Amino acid sequence: MTDELRRLRAQVSSLQSLLTLSKLMGDSGDQLRIVHLAGTAVPSLARCQLVGVELAGAGWGLVGPAGGSAAALREVAGALQRLGQHGGAVASPAMAPGWVWAYPMQSAAGHAGFLVVAAAAEPPAEERFVLQSLAQQTGVALINARLQADERAAAEAALEAKREADRANTAKSEFLSRMSHELRTPLNAILGFGQLLQLDDLAEEQAESVDHILRAGQHLLGLINEVLDLARIESGHLALSPEAVGVFEVIKDTVDLIGPLATERALRIQAPSPRECAWTVQADRQRLKQVLLNLASNAVKYNRHGGSISLSCHAGDDGRVRIAVADTGPGIPADKLPRLFTQFDRLGAEHSEVQGTGIGLVLAKRLAEAMGGALTVASVEGQGTTFTLELSLAMEPV
Ligand SMILES: Nc1ncnc2c1ncn2[C@@H]1O[C@H](COP(=O)(O)OP(=O)(O)O)[C@@H](O)[C@H]1O
Ligand SMILES: [Mg+2]
């Protein structure tokens, strides 16, 4: 290799770092700075003049040597473009010195554009080699710089998205705690004073009205609590206190609570004996009760007059306890089952006399999952529905 060639190589790499630097200095400036580089003669390439750089996707930054008119430049640029990705030479009679070569700037990762030089005649092999490697190294530098810039932009975008999500989350939890206070406070006053009124000596009609107020108030309170619970789960703000909870005890509490409702509808409740249900599960006691109450109250609401509700439990070899709540209601048609755990979807019950909101089951499922469990359903139309709550065993049977 001649000394001349070695010097040219050094120039190639300094030009390459210039290009990299200009790319790193900013996106909008990138084309401009590179075009600035164009027009400077590559000193040691005696017969060639660097007349431009074309950047793929950014257009041609062709700068003509002295004497090149704008029209000639446009014509040359068009002709170079038509050569395709491999570049080549085009004659430019209108533009001294006469011929323009486009050397592709590319790496294995892609095509960055062309390095454009002008000369009167084809440069000798040695100079062509230098020009080719100059183009190639510039391509590698440009593509790498582009990849780096893309990566930086992606990282920046991800960070901004996370900041945005955090802001939304904070706003949501603030809204929740506010709403929970703002809605529950007046509602508790309504319920409290309603209860006081109930103690008074009321005429029959008045007593009925107070009863309406209290029942509607309770319904609203239940609804608010459910919506807030659901929102809390969704924003990840549900606080659970997991402990070992005796299954029989929660089943008994549930049965006690729905007993009066079941009696009203002449429903028989079958519950397991303490011996049949001597398991403890890992769960939040209050939330577990809430889930079972939801399932049991559905079993009461969606049942036939004089039917039955059966609660049972069973521990599997897999360390899971399954609590089943079965009813003898109309069942859920197979084509509606996929919609079952969808909030506010009452599967048509909204046209019936049965009161509800369509949140209970979604909430029950989400609560079960938050406690590391699951809630599944099996239903036979015309015969009844069984919901199965599955939780992890906390310890050996007592
Ligand atoms: N045990 C059941 N038997 C038949 N249908 C049921 C049963 N439980 C729930 N469903 C249906 O699923 C819907 C959603 O239940 P749920 O989320 O508890 O809401 P809600 O009881 O307030 O309507 C109910 O409206 C009802 O149509
Ligand atoms: Mg319900």
Side-chain angles (χ1 to χ4, degrees):
M1 193 188 291
T2 61
D3 280 351
E4 173 85 337
L5 206 53
R6 237 177 248 122
R7 222 153 41 76
L8 288 175
R9 280 263 165 96
Q11 271 179 357
V12 166
S13 56
S14 67
L15 188 55
Q16 175 190 332
S17 37
L18 258 179
L19 286 170
T20 311
L21 196 67
S22 68
K23 174 68 191 173
L24 292 177
M25 279 168 76
D27 290 339
S28 58
D30 123 43
Q31 200 187 347
L32 204 83
R33 283 171 223 276
I34 287 169
V35 170
H36 269 169
L37 286 174
T40 50
V42 180
S44 310
L45 294 171
R47 280 162 288 268
C48 292
Q49 196 166 14
L50 183 59
V51 293
V53 174
E54 181 265 358
L55 292 176
W60 288 75
L62 205 56
V63 177
S69 72
L73 278 177
R74 260 200 307 280
E75 197 189 303
V76 171
L80 287 172
Q81 209 157 10
R82 283 192 292 278
L83 290 175
Q85 293 234 335
H86 299 296
V90 296
S92 68
M95 197 167 93
W99 282 88
V100 173
W101 277 264
Y103 292 94
M105 301 191 291
Q106 56 198 13
S107 77
H111 171 84
F114 295 100
L115 185 76
V116 186
V117 295
E122 186 174 16
E126 224 173 50
E127 289 187 11
R128 281 208 307 275
F129 171 76
V130 172
L131 287 166
Q132 251 156 17
S133 69
L134 174 64
Q136 207 171 13
Q137 296 197 38
T138 310
V140 169
L142 272 177
I143 287 166
N144 284 348
R146 233 171 244 176
L147 290 177
Q148 274 172 20
D150 286 353
E151 260 166 41
R152 256 204 328 275
E156 187 57 38
L159 198 67
E160 185 45 40
K162 192 188 168 312
R163 275 192 216 116
E164 183 59 44
D166 285 349
R167 271 196 294 275
N169 224 347
T170 315
K172 195 168 177 178
S173 52
E174 247 167 47
F175 173 77
L176 279 181
S177 68
R178 247 165 200 278
M179 280 322 261
S180 115
H181 181 76
E182 300 294 329
L183 293 175
R184 274 194 273 220
T185 310
L187 197 51
N188 281 325
I190 293 171
L191 289 171
F193 284 109
Q195 277 156 359
L196 279 181
L197 272 180
Q198 239 178 357
L199 300 176
D200 280 354
D201 223 353
L202 295 176
E204 195 180 320
E205 214 170 288
Q206 287 172 319
E208 244 173 54
S209 301
V210 171
D211 202 45
H212 271 306
I213 293 174
L214 285 176
R215 262 188 295 151
Q218 288 293 356
H219 179 74
L220 189 55
L221 189 59
L223 178 59
I224 290 170
N225 285 337
E226 280 185 335
V227 170
L228 288 174
D229 276 347
L230 204 58
R232 241 180 239 125
I233 290 181
E234 262 158 27
S235 62
H237 285 95
L238 182 80
L240 290 174
S241 336
E243 55 177 323
V245 184
V247 175
F248 176 75
E249 184 196 330
V250 259
I251 289 187
K252 185 179 177 302
D253 285 352
T254 308
V255 170
D256 287 349
L257 278 167
I258 58 151
L261 279 177
T263 312
E264 246 173 55
R265 291 171 197 222
L267 296 169
R268 207 157 39 83
I269 301 181
Q270 289 168 331
S273 69
R275 203 174 36 79
E276 288 170 309
C277 215
W279 311 99
T280 48
V281 288
Q282 191 64 22
D284 177 303
R285 184 183 302 273
Q286 240 10 72
R287 297 305 190 176
L288 172 55
K289 221 180 268 184
Q290 188 179 354
V291 173
L292 286 182
L293 205 55
N294 252 316
L295 298 178
S297 71
N298 277 351
V300 171
K301 289 199 298 185
Y302 308 104
N303 213 320
R304 62 179 162 79
H305 191 83
S308 70
I309 298 162
S310 144
L311 288 98
S312 60
C313 65
H314 167 81
D317 295 336
D318 54 357
R320 304 281 268 181
V321 174
R322 290 173 183 82
I323 305 170
V325 180
D327 63 55
T328 54
I332 301 163
D335 63 325
K336 285 188 181 171
L337 271 180
R339 284 164 42 195
L340 192 61
F341 298 102
T342 312
Q343 49 191 327
F344 302 114
D345 193 343
R346 298 197 61 212
L347 312 179
E350 62 274 23
H351 307 301
S352 72
E353 298 221 308
V354 185
Q355 292 250 351
T357 54
I359 305 182
L361 279 181
V362 193
L363 187 57
K365 190 176 170 70
R366 304 294 291 271
L367 284 173
E369 286 163 358
M371 293 188 286
L375 180 63
T376 53
V377 64
S379 187
V380 180
E381 221 181 325
Q383 287 184 28
T385 307
T386 302
F387 284 93
T388 305
L389 172 65
E390 185 187 307
L391 290 166
S392 286
L393 204 54
M395 56 168 91
E396 290 301 301
V398 280

